[in-house]
């Protein structure tokens, strides 16, 4: 694999930011993809950054064997949201960044070659990408995602004082909006074609109950979702064990 640290100025965010780019060196992109690599956008968790994937897991090695490119954006503490007070991170992630990396690297822009995955806050972001833009993402993965965002902002959570309001506004504004995955599940199930979802969570994770609640909503809505659970907490010991299962599941 080749790992590149990309520094760029985002017109959407109005500031400089960073992203990691990982390209397989020992796998040529196929002709059927126009000589370009399928791509997985990997989203970091709250309090982390784009480097945590390569520092804490063997994701580079796993992706190399599958001929898969990785894009690791930095999104700070935004919850991958166009914040009420702050940057338009969802627009940056869903619109600006894909265009930049597709122009700079041999990365496919086809829906069937484009996937998103994330841990914790990033799991929320990955599912939001796929459910708001099912025409662009064939599949998305949530590893221990903060999927019940309404419960997160109204109960015990990891937000700084006033942070949730700056990101989402009030709970009433959030509930049923385009940031509420429970509402998005119903809309995404009616999309043609709907995205495929893979969700997993450790049974000792503090987000376990919220993950089960989202699973129930997704199944009720009729989404194509695969769910797995097992022993584990909210940590890289659990997530690293799940990565090969996640990549084997992707429709590559």
């Amino acid at each position: 694999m080749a790992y590149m640290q990309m520094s760029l100025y985002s017109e959407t965010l109005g500031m400089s930011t960073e992203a990691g780019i990982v390209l397989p060196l020992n796998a040529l992109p196929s002709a059927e993809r126009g000589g370009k690599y399928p791509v997985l956008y990997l989203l970091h968790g709250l309090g982390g950054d784009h480097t945590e994937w390569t520092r804490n897991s063997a994701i580079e090695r796993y992706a190399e064997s599958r001929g898969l490119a990785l894009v690791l954006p930095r999104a700070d503490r935004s919850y991958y949201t166009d914040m009420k007070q702050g940057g338009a991170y969802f627009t940056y992630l869903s619109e600006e960044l894909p265009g930049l990396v597709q122009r700079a690297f041999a990365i496919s822009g086809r829906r069937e070659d484009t996937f998103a995955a994330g841990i914790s806050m990033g799991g929320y972001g990955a599912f939001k990408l796929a459910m708001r833009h099912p025409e662009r993402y064939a599949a998305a993965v949530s590893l221990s995602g903060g999927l019940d965002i309404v419960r997160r902002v109204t109960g015990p959570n990891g937000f700084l004082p006033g942070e949730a309001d700056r990101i989402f506004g009030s709970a009433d504004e959030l509930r049923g909006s385009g940031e509420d995955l429970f509402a998005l599940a119903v809309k995404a199930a009616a999309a043609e074609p709907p995205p495929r979802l893979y969700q997993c969570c450790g049974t000792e994770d503090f987000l376990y109950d919220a993950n089960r609640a989202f699973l129930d909503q997704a199944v009720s809505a009729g989404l194509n979702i695969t769910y797995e659970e097992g022993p584990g907490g909210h940590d890289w010991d659990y997530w690293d064990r799940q990565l090969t299962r996640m990549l084997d599941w992707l429709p590559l």
Side-chain angles (χ1 to χ4, degrees), residues 30-41 98 102 107-115 134-139 251-252:
S30 67
E32 69 182 31
R33 292 191 169 102
K36 297 185 177 181
Y37 295 108
V39 60
L40 175 63
Y41 290 83
Q102 288 164 25
I107 287 177
S108 176
R110 302 192 314 166
R111 176 190 186 270
E112 55 265 44
D113 298 333
T114 305
F115 318 104
E135 77 284 1
R136 299 182 197 169
Y137 298 89
L252 291 171

Side-chain angles (χ1 to χ4, degrees), residues 65-124:
S65 66
R66 293 164 173 82
L68 179 66
L70 307 175
V71 176
L72 297 79
R74 174 182 168 182
D76 304 307
R77 296 176 63 90
S78 67
Y79 260 82
Y80 302 94
T81 295
D82 286 352
M83 302 167 65
K84 295 292 186 180
Q85 301 174 40
Y89 282 88
F90 185 81
T91 298
Y92 164 70
L93 179 63
S94 62
E95 304 285 345
E96 186 178 18
L97 182 62
L100 289 173
V101 298
Q102 288 164 25
R103 289 195 298 273
F105 304 100
I107 287 177
S108 176
R110 302 192 314 166
R111 176 190 186 270
E112 55 265 44
D113 298 333
T114 305
F115 318 104
I119 56 167
S120 196
M121 176 184 82
Y124 164 84

Side-chain angles (χ1 to χ4, degrees), residues 234-245:
H234 200 77
D235 53 50
W236 279 101
D237 286 342
Y238 175 74
W239 299 326
D240 194 44
R241 293 198 304 268
Q242 292 298 124
L243 290 183
T244 55
R245 298 179 66 82

Side-chain angles (χ1 to χ4, degrees), residues 205-230:
D205 196 306
F206 72 96
L207 291 175
Y208 175 75
D209 290 343
N211 270 261
R212 292 292 311 191
F214 178 80
L215 174 65
D216 291 344
Q217 174 73 354
V219 171
S220 176
L223 279 172
N224 181 356
I225 188 164
T226 299
Y227 177 81
E228 293 187 6
E229 64 177 53

